């Protein structure tokens, strides 16, 4: 059983918080460790796919640990930041021994998604931490969000064009304006790492568009987490705001999405692809 850049540990006292402990003293160890050190949602995808693999074999960890991965998002390289973002709901049941094809987050695969299984995993292992929930509530109140009358746009720029073909902001705007023809009273939430895209949407839509000041953007081609890392800012704090923002983006009545790890997690948090328009890895609208 090969996991995706993760390690599953059962009944061992040699890893993480049990390092140096007597094996027999901790027979209850049943944990999943992430070993990946790329973007935040790239790391999340490794954990998610590893959980799918474990479920195929009738296994479920009691605990998930981020102490061996996520190095770009913490000052202490050995800190377990899983509790900073998520909490486990052990009451959420799981379907074991289900053969689910592993999704590729850099491909648009709506026909592949199995939300019956996905939603169980998200509910059990990726519920928001208390601080993420609090920050989501702050965003909802501050920006007066009515999700039932909001179109969200998730545009990934910066370095993503080196991995796949990006649709242009104008392509996203076309979809937005088509929806607004049917729902002229809707507002538009633009969530992007690219400052130029925010400016473009504001120029086109005026007061109908809004964005979160709490999540930064850049006019360069550098990925945001590297800028945060270089700035000395608390990457955990920023990432908690971003996760709260992404959860808001996922809750909107309509979502115009990109293909990639962040876009994949918008769909996972949403729990379905209803009213989701997504540009695929070739820059084409699906």
């Amino acid at each position: 059983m090969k996991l995706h850049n993760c390690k599953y540990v059962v009944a061992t006292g040699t890893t993480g918080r049990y390092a140096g402990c007597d094996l027999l003293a901790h027979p209850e160890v049943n944990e999943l460790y992430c070993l990946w050190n790329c973007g935040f949602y790239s790391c999340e995808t490794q954990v998610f796919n590893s959980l799918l693999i474990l479920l195929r074999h009738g296994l479920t960890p009691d605990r998930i640990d981020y102490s061996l991965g996520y190095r770009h998002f913490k000052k202490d390289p050995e800190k377990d930041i899983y509790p900073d973002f998520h909490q486990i709901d052990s009451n959420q049941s799981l379907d074991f021994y289900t053969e689910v094809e592993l999704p590729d987050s850099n491909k648009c695969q709506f026909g592949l998604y199995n939300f019956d299984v996905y939603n169980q995993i998200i509910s059990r292992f990726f519920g928001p931490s208390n601080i993420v929930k609090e920050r989501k509530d702050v965003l909802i109140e501050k920006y007066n969000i009515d999700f039932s009358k909001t179109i969200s746009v998730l545009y990934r720029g910066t370095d993503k064009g080196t991995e796949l073909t990006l649709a242009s902001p104008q392509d996203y705007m076309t979809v937005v304006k088509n929806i607004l023809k049917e729902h002229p009273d809707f507002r538009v939430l633009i969530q992007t790492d690219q400052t130029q895209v925010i400016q473009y949407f504001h120029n086109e839509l005026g007061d109908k568009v809004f964005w979160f000041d709490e999540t930064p953007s850049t006019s360069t081609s550098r990925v945001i987490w590297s800028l945060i890392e270089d700035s000395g800012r608390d990457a955990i704090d920023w990432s908690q705001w971003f996760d709260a923002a992404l959860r808001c983006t996922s809750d909107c009545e309509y979502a115009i999405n990109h293909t990639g790890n962040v876009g994949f997690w918008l769909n996972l948090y949403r729990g379905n692809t209803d009213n989701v328009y997504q540009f695929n890895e070739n820059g084409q609208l699906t």
Side-chain angles (χ1 to χ4, degrees), residues 41 44-45 48 122 126 261-269:
Y41 293 96
E44 296 278 88
T45 300
F48 181 81
I122 295 299
F126 296 100
N261 286 298
V262 182
F264 179 57
W265 279 84
L266 181 153
N267 294 333
L268 290 178
Y269 283 161

Side-chain angles (χ1 to χ4, degrees), residues 4 31 37 53 80 95 97 109 127 135 144 165 167 178 204:
H4 275 220
E31 302 175 339
N37 289 298
I53 295 169
D80 172 21
D95 288 336
Y97 306 108
Q109 300 175 314
R135 291 186 175 184
N144 192 27
T165 301
N178 285 337
E204 290 287 319

Side-chain angles (χ1 to χ4, degrees), residues 60-107:
T60 178
D62 296 326
R63 180 175 173 273
I64 297 178
D65 190 297
Y66 289 176
S67 64
L68 302 179
Y70 293 79
R71 294 294 171 87
H72 297 296
F73 301 92
K74 52 191 179 182
K75 294 181 180 179
D76 177 359
E78 296 183 357
K79 177 178 171 62
D80 172 21
I81 64 171
Y82 176 88
D84 293 292
F85 294 92
H86 305 300
Q87 52 186 319
I88 289 178
D89 179 5
S90 57
N91 293 320
Q92 171 63 56
S93 61
L94 296 168
D95 288 336
F96 293 108
Y97 306 108
T98 301
E99 286 294 331
V100 178
E101 188 174 346
L102 300 182
D104 182 341
S105 58
N106 273 334
K107 294 182 179 179

Side-chain angles (χ1 to χ4, degrees), residues 68 82 96 112 124 130 163 169 190 197 240 269 278-279:
L68 302 179
Y82 176 88
F96 293 108
L112 179 91
R124 176 135 181 169
N130 289 335
E163 300 178 11
I190 176 70
V197 176
Q240 287 169 324
Y269 283 161
Q278 183 160 322
F279 288 92

Side-chain angles (χ1 to χ4, degrees), residues 35-50:
L35 311 178
W36 198 237
N37 289 298
C38 291
F40 186 87
Y41 293 96
S42 175
C43 295
E44 296 278 88
T45 300
Q46 309 308 308
V47 178
F48 181 81
N49 279 341
S50 293

Side-chain angles (χ1 to χ4, degrees), residues 1-27:
M1 180 178 64
K2 184 177 181 180
L3 302 183
H4 275 220
N5 300 296
C6 291
K7 177 168 63 174
Y8 179 55
V9 181
V10 183
T12 175
T14 60
T15 305
R17 61 182 176 144
Y18 297 105
C21 295
D22 182 1
L23 171 64
L24 297 179
H26 297 281

Side-chain angles (χ1 to χ4, degrees), residues 237-249:
D237 178 74
W238 173 81
S239 300
Q240 287 169 324
W241 277 114
F242 189 91
D243 196 63
L246 184 61
R247 291 176 186 272
C248 287
T249 306

